[in-house]
Amino acid sequence: MRAAELELADFLGWKEKVEPDLDWKEVQAELGFEFPAAHRDFLKIFPSGVMSEYIYIWSPVQSRRWLDAYKWKLKSKSAYFVDVRSEMPGDYPHLFHPEPGGLIPWAEGDEHTYFWRPVEGQAVDQWSIVFMDNTSGGWGEYHGTSVQFLLDLLTGALVSDILYSDWPKSERSYVVMPEPMLPS
């Protein structure tokens, strides 16, 4: 466990740890990509949940249902963004997973999606965070881990015209999401 994960848990008042049902190697093999080490460590502390009433985090190792829900999320987000990109290529300049080198979503808010940017030949732990305003209001990039990104976002250290950055103390929370209902 790294200091940043513990700092984020302390910042949010989260005192629990989780024991995922699934093995990372099996999950990553099934998904076809690796997760950065800091994010895997993050998911040892945080299950799928809602951070600060706004950021939805998915843990595909939490359970088989969460893995299936994450696979559905990957597929549906990719289909949506690829479709929108065909209509507005200037607003959606990126490829999306499973396109080669496509952005991989790892969390979302009501108005934003947070991705990793895989780069061929670059170690997964060096992938940057790419974020967007879902209403095609722009894109941004952050060089650091998902945990550092979340800490900087919630503390106001990350200033962006795209992201909400005025988080009141009352919204410092983490709430576990119930097991997902899967689409038929």
Side-chain angles (χ1 to χ4, degrees):
M1 209 68 53
R2 299 173 189 187
E5 290 82 6
L6 298 173
E7 183 181 349
L8 181 59
D10 186 53
F11 179 82
L12 295 170
W14 181 254
K15 305 290 183 211
E16 300 181 40
K17 281 192 160 195
V18 292
E19 200 60 46
D21 287 349
L22 305 177
D23 176 73
W24 270 114
K25 286 183 183 180
E26 293 171 15
V27 167
Q28 292 175 143
E30 190 168 329
L31 292 172
F33 60 87
E34 288 184 60
F35 282 68
H39 199 73
R40 292 191 313 260
D41 286 345
F42 168 74
L43 295 177
K44 289 177 185 174
I45 298 174
F46 294 95
S48 296
V50 183
M51 183 175 292
S52 294
E53 301 178 21
Y54 185 72
I55 302 169
Y56 298 85
I57 305 291
W58 314 305
S59 175
V61 293
Q62 186 172 335
S63 68
R64 172 45 72 176
R65 287 182 75 107
W66 275 110
L67 174 58
D68 291 343
Y70 183 67
K71 287 167 48 178
W72 179 84
K73 182 67 76 174
L74 285 172
K75 184 178 178 180
S76 64
K77 281 217 167 275
S78 177
Y80 172 77
F81 290 129
V82 167
D83 185 52
V84 172
R85 182 183 64 207
S86 69
E87 296 174 24
M88 299 185 299
D91 290 340
Y92 293 85
H94 301 285
L95 297 174
F96 299 94
H97 178 79
E99 297 173 313
L103 300 179
I104 301 169
W106 56 270
E108 69 184 342
D110 293 339
E111 299 172 4
H112 305 104
T113 301
Y114 312 105
F115 304 91
W116 288 299
R117 178 195 304 274
V119 176
E120 189 174 334
Q122 187 180 58
V124 66
D125 291 331
Q126 295 176 339
W127 290 351
S128 61
I129 305 292
V130 174
F131 51 90
M132 67 166 299
D133 181 323
N134 292 339
T135 61
S136 72
W139 293 85
E141 189 163 0
Y142 178 89
H143 298 283
T145 69
S146 54
V147 177
Q148 292 165 327
F149 171 81
L150 292 167
L151 263 171
D152 285 351
L153 179 65
L154 296 173
T155 61
L158 173 60
V159 177
S160 165
D161 292 339
I162 298 164
L163 298 174
Y164 179 71
S165 60
D166 188 20
W167 298 86
K169 285 187 178 187
S170 63
E171 291 181 5
R172 291 183 184 176
S173 63
Y174 198 83
V175 177
V176 177
M177 286 192 281
E179 284 283 311
M181 298 295 291
L182 299 176
S184 48

